[in-house]
Protein backbone atom coordinates (compact mmCIF):
# COMPACT_ATOMS: atom_id res chain seq x y z
CA UNK A 1 0.00 0.00 0.00
CA UNK A 2 1.33 3.41 -0.99
CA UNK A 3 2.52 5.63 1.87
CA UNK A 4 3.71 9.22 1.70
CA UNK A 5 5.91 9.75 4.75
CA UNK A 6 7.25 13.14 5.83
CA UNK A 7 10.82 13.43 7.06
CA UNK A 8 11.03 16.16 9.71
CA UNK A 9 14.77 16.61 9.21
CA UNK A 10 14.20 19.95 7.48
CA UNK A 11 11.35 21.15 9.67
CA UNK A 12 11.39 24.30 11.81
CA UNK A 13 12.73 23.00 15.11
CA UNK A 14 11.50 26.12 16.90
CA UNK A 15 7.90 25.07 16.10
CA UNK A 16 8.14 21.30 15.75
CA UNK A 17 4.68 20.70 17.22
CA UNK A 18 3.03 23.03 14.73
CA UNK A 19 4.97 21.45 11.88
CA UNK A 20 3.74 18.00 12.92
CA UNK A 21 0.14 19.23 13.13
CA UNK A 22 0.52 20.82 9.69
CA UNK A 23 1.87 17.55 8.27
CA UNK A 24 -1.05 15.60 9.73
CA UNK A 25 -3.43 18.18 8.24
CA UNK A 26 -1.61 17.93 4.91
CA UNK A 27 -2.45 14.22 4.76
CA UNK A 28 0.86 12.39 5.18
CA UNK A 29 0.60 8.75 6.27
CA UNK A 30 3.44 8.84 8.80
CA UNK A 31 6.41 10.83 10.08
CA UNK A 32 10.05 9.82 9.85
CA UNK A 33 12.54 11.03 12.45
CA UNK A 34 16.00 11.16 10.90
CA UNK A 35 18.24 10.24 13.81
CA UNK A 36 21.88 11.18 13.25
CA UNK A 37 24.88 10.87 15.60
CA UNK A 38 27.62 12.85 13.86
CA UNK A 39 29.62 9.64 13.36
CA UNK A 40 27.84 7.44 10.81
CA UNK A 41 26.76 10.65 9.08
CA UNK A 42 28.24 14.17 9.46
CA UNK A 43 25.15 15.58 11.12
CA UNK A 44 23.49 15.47 14.55
CA UNK A 45 19.74 15.40 15.19
CA UNK A 46 16.98 13.97 17.35
CA UNK A 47 17.44 12.10 20.62
CA UNK A 48 14.64 9.79 21.76
CA UNK A 49 13.53 12.46 24.22
CA UNK A 50 12.57 14.79 21.39
CA UNK A 51 10.46 12.08 19.78
CA UNK A 52 8.82 11.23 23.10
CA UNK A 53 8.00 14.90 23.69
CA UNK A 54 6.24 15.00 20.31
CA UNK A 55 4.45 11.64 20.55
CA UNK A 56 1.10 13.07 21.67
CA UNK A 57 1.11 15.98 19.21
CA UNK A 58 -0.39 13.93 16.36
CA UNK A 59 -1.83 10.42 15.95
CA UNK A 60 0.38 9.64 12.96
CA UNK A 61 2.67 6.59 13.05
CA UNK A 62 6.31 7.50 13.79
CA UNK A 63 9.34 5.74 12.39
CA UNK A 64 12.90 6.31 13.55
CA UNK A 65 15.59 6.12 10.87
CA UNK A 66 18.77 5.43 12.82
CA UNK A 67 21.69 6.84 10.90
CA UNK A 68 23.94 6.10 13.86
CA UNK A 69 26.68 3.77 14.96
CA UNK A 70 25.73 1.13 17.54
CA UNK A 71 21.98 1.10 16.75
CA UNK A 72 21.38 -1.75 19.22
CA UNK A 73 22.23 0.67 22.05
CA UNK A 74 19.42 3.04 21.05
CA UNK A 75 16.80 1.21 18.96
CA UNK A 76 14.53 0.27 21.88
CA UNK A 77 14.65 3.83 23.25
CA UNK A 78 12.93 5.01 20.07
CA UNK A 79 10.28 2.31 20.39
CA UNK A 80 9.67 3.46 23.96
CA UNK A 81 9.53 7.06 22.73
CA UNK A 82 6.55 6.10 20.56
CA UNK A 83 7.92 4.92 17.21
CA UNK A 84 6.11 1.92 15.73
CA UNK A 85 9.00 1.26 13.37
CA UNK A 86 12.76 1.51 13.88
CA UNK A 87 15.09 1.37 10.88
CA UNK A 88 18.73 0.41 11.32
CA UNK A 89 21.44 0.73 8.68
CA UNK A 90 22.96 -2.59 7.60
CA UNK A 91 26.32 -0.78 7.54
CA UNK A 92 26.20 -0.07 11.29
CA UNK A 93 25.63 -3.52 12.82
CA UNK A 94 27.82 -6.61 12.89
CA UNK A 95 24.72 -8.81 13.14
CA UNK A 96 21.70 -7.50 11.24
CA UNK A 97 19.53 -10.43 12.30
CA UNK A 98 20.24 -9.64 15.95
CA UNK A 99 19.51 -5.93 15.46
CA UNK A 100 16.21 -6.61 13.71
CA UNK A 101 15.28 -9.36 16.16
CA UNK A 102 15.75 -7.00 19.11
CA UNK A 103 13.27 -4.53 17.62
CA UNK A 104 10.73 -7.24 16.84
CA UNK A 105 11.05 -8.86 20.27
CA UNK A 106 10.25 -5.48 21.81
CA UNK A 107 7.07 -5.26 19.72
CA UNK A 108 8.33 -2.93 17.00
CA UNK A 109 8.44 -3.19 13.20
CA UNK A 110 12.05 -3.76 12.16
CA UNK A 111 13.40 -1.85 9.19
CA UNK A 112 16.76 -2.01 7.49
CA UNK A 113 18.26 0.73 5.32
CA UNK A 114 20.97 0.38 2.68
CA UNK A 115 23.19 3.23 1.54
CA UNK A 116 23.49 3.69 -2.22
CA UNK A 117 26.81 1.86 -2.26
CA UNK A 118 25.68 -1.10 -0.17
CA UNK A 119 24.56 -4.23 -2.01
CA UNK A 120 21.62 -6.48 -1.22
CA UNK A 121 24.08 -9.12 -0.03
CA UNK A 122 24.22 -7.10 3.20
CA UNK A 123 20.78 -8.56 3.98
CA UNK A 124 21.97 -12.16 3.98
CA UNK A 125 20.78 -14.15 6.97
CA UNK A 126 18.20 -11.54 7.94
CA UNK A 127 15.70 -11.51 5.06
CA UNK A 128 12.91 -13.15 7.08
CA UNK A 129 13.25 -10.55 9.85
CA UNK A 130 12.74 -7.52 7.62
CA UNK A 131 9.45 -5.66 8.10
CA UNK A 132 10.57 -2.69 5.97
CA UNK A 133 13.43 -2.34 3.49
CA UNK A 134 14.69 1.21 2.90
CA UNK A 135 16.71 1.86 -0.25
CA UNK A 136 18.55 5.16 0.20
CA UNK A 137 18.36 7.31 -2.90
CA UNK A 138 20.83 9.87 -1.52
CA UNK A 139 23.92 9.57 0.65
CA UNK A 140 22.51 9.87 4.19
CA UNK A 141 23.09 12.96 6.32
CA UNK A 142 21.24 15.86 4.77
CA UNK A 143 17.96 16.76 3.15
CA UNK A 144 17.60 18.65 -0.12
CA UNK A 145 19.93 16.41 -2.14
CA UNK A 146 19.34 15.10 -5.65
CA UNK A 147 17.56 11.79 -6.21
CA UNK A 148 19.89 9.00 -7.42
CA UNK A 149 17.87 7.37 -10.19
CA UNK A 150 20.53 4.68 -10.57
CA UNK A 151 19.01 3.06 -7.48
CA UNK A 152 15.91 1.94 -9.41
CA UNK A 153 17.38 -1.39 -10.56
CA UNK A 154 18.39 -2.00 -6.94
CA UNK A 155 14.79 -1.33 -5.82
CA UNK A 156 13.56 -3.82 -8.40
CA UNK A 157 16.12 -6.44 -7.34
CA UNK A 158 15.24 -5.89 -3.68
CA UNK A 159 11.56 -6.55 -4.44
CA UNK A 160 12.58 -9.76 -6.16
CA UNK A 161 14.76 -10.82 -3.25
CA UNK A 162 11.99 -10.26 -0.69
CA UNK A 163 9.39 -11.96 -2.89
CA UNK A 164 11.65 -14.97 -3.43
CA UNK A 165 11.90 -15.31 0.36
CA UNK A 166 8.12 -15.02 0.71
CA UNK A 167 8.53 -11.69 2.53
CA UNK A 168 5.88 -9.11 1.56
CA UNK A 169 7.62 -6.29 3.50
CA UNK A 170 7.31 -2.98 1.63
CA UNK A 171 10.22 -1.17 0.08
CA UNK A 172 10.73 2.45 1.08
CA UNK A 173 12.82 5.03 -0.76
CA UNK A 174 14.44 7.92 1.06
CA UNK A 175 16.14 10.88 -0.49
CA UNK A 176 15.37 13.47 -3.11
CA UNK A 177 11.81 12.25 -3.74
CA UNK A 178 9.68 14.85 -5.56
CA UNK A 179 6.54 14.75 -7.70
CA UNK A 180 8.62 14.81 -10.88
CA UNK A 181 10.64 11.70 -10.01
CA UNK A 182 8.44 9.58 -7.70
CA UNK A 183 6.98 7.48 -10.55
CA UNK A 184 10.40 5.91 -11.18
CA UNK A 185 10.92 4.25 -7.82
CA UNK A 186 7.21 3.36 -7.73
CA UNK A 187 7.51 1.53 -11.06
CA UNK A 188 10.61 -0.21 -9.71
CA UNK A 189 8.70 -1.60 -6.73
CA UNK A 190 8.79 1.00 -3.96
CA UNK A 191 5.56 1.60 -1.98
CA UNK A 192 6.71 3.95 0.81
CA UNK A 193 8.09 7.35 -0.12
CA UNK A 194 10.01 9.57 2.27
CA UNK A 195 9.92 13.23 1.42
CA UNK A 196 11.49 16.01 3.43
CA UNK A 197 12.23 19.13 1.44
CA UNK A 198 9.72 18.05 -1.22
CA UNK A 199 6.96 18.63 1.34
CA UNK A 200 8.44 21.06 3.88
CA UNK A 201 9.93 23.47 1.33
CA UNK A 202 7.20 23.24 -1.33
CA UNK A 203 6.30 26.77 -2.51
CA UNK A 204 2.57 25.99 -2.42
CA UNK A 205 2.65 24.49 1.06
CA UNK A 206 2.52 21.03 2.61
CA UNK A 207 -1.02 20.10 1.54
CA UNK A 208 -0.36 20.88 -2.11
CA UNK A 209 2.95 19.04 -1.93
CA UNK A 210 1.39 15.86 -0.56
CA UNK A 211 -1.44 16.01 -3.09
CA UNK A 212 1.09 16.45 -5.89
CA UNK A 213 3.08 13.43 -4.76
CA UNK A 214 -0.04 11.28 -4.61
CA UNK A 215 -1.25 12.54 -8.00
CA UNK A 216 2.11 11.62 -9.54
CA UNK A 217 1.49 8.01 -8.43
CA UNK A 218 -2.12 7.84 -9.66
C1 LIG B 1 19.11 11.82 4.40
C2 LIG B 1 17.71 12.02 4.90
C3 LIG B 1 16.87 12.68 3.83
C4 LIG B 1 15.51 13.05 4.31
C5 LIG B 1 14.63 13.39 3.13
O1 LIG B 1 19.89 11.33 5.42
O2 LIG B 1 17.16 10.75 5.27
O3 LIG B 1 16.76 11.79 2.76
O4 LIG B 1 14.97 12.04 5.03
O5 LIG B 1 15.06 14.63 2.68
P1 LIG B 1 14.79 15.09 1.18
O6 LIG B 1 13.40 14.61 0.80
O7 LIG B 1 14.88 16.60 1.25
O8 LIG B 1 15.84 14.46 0.37
Amino acid sequence: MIQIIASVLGSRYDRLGDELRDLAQAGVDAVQWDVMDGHFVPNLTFGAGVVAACREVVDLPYEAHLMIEDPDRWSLDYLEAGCETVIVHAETTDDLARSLGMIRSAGGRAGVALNPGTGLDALAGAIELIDLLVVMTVEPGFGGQGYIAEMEPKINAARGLLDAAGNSAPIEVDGGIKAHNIAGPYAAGAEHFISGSGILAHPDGKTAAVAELRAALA
Side-chain angles (χ1 to χ4, degrees):
M1 186 181 74
I2 289 172
Q3 291 207 359
I4 303 292
I5 303 171
S7 152
V8 290
L9 180 63
S11 60
R12 290 232 353 227
Y13 298 164
D14 64 328
R15 47 189 301 273
L16 203 42
D18 293 339
E19 294 269 68
L20 289 163
R21 280 184 283 270
D22 290 351
L23 287 166
Q25 187 67 33
V28 301
D29 295 300
V31 168
Q32 182 178 97
W33 295 87
D34 299 85
V35 178
M36 301 178 182
D37 65 357
H39 294 282
F40 179 61
V41 295
N43 201 351
L44 203 54
T45 60
F46 312 106
V50 175
V51 178
C54 293
R55 179 54 281 181
E56 299 311 315
V57 172
V58 291
D59 290 339
L60 290 171
Y62 284 177
E63 60 183 53
H65 177 187
L66 301 186
M67 292 166 271
I68 65 173
E69 293 176 357
D70 193 11
D72 296 354
R73 164 62 189 82
W74 299 104
S75 56
L76 304 194
D77 289 38
Y78 284 89
L79 289 179
E80 282 158 33
C83 295
E84 287 80 5
T85 303
V86 174
I87 301 159
V88 303
H89 267 262
E91 302 88 355
T92 64
T93 173
D94 60 357
D95 185 340
L96 180 58
R98 182 196 65 228
S99 298
L100 298 176
M102 279 176 63
I103 295 165
R104 285 178 143 214
S105 299
R109 288 175 71 237
V112 54
L114 300 174
N115 280 347
T118 303
L120 298 178
D121 56 313
L123 304 176
I127 303 277
E128 291 74 22
L129 297 171
I130 296 170
D131 294 316
L132 175 69
L133 174 51
V134 181
V135 175
M136 293 301 294
T137 47
V138 295
E139 290 299 333
F142 299 92
Q145 301 179 79
Y147 168 72
I148 304 173
E150 290 73 13
M151 290 295 106
E152 289 172 18
K154 181 177 177 181
I155 296 165
N156 190 259
R159 185 66 271 157
L161 181 69
L162 290 170
D163 290 348
N167 188 340
S168 59
I171 292 175
E172 179 167 291
V173 286
D174 180 353
I177 299 297
K178 306 288 194 295
H180 69 79
N181 63 30
I182 195 171
Y186 180 53
E191 297 172 77
H192 291 196
F193 303 90
I194 300 292
S195 184
S197 55
I199 295 175
L200 296 168
H202 193 290
D204 297 334
K206 300 181 179 76
T207 301
V210 174
E212 226 177 71
L213 288 167
R214 293 196 191 280
L217 293 174

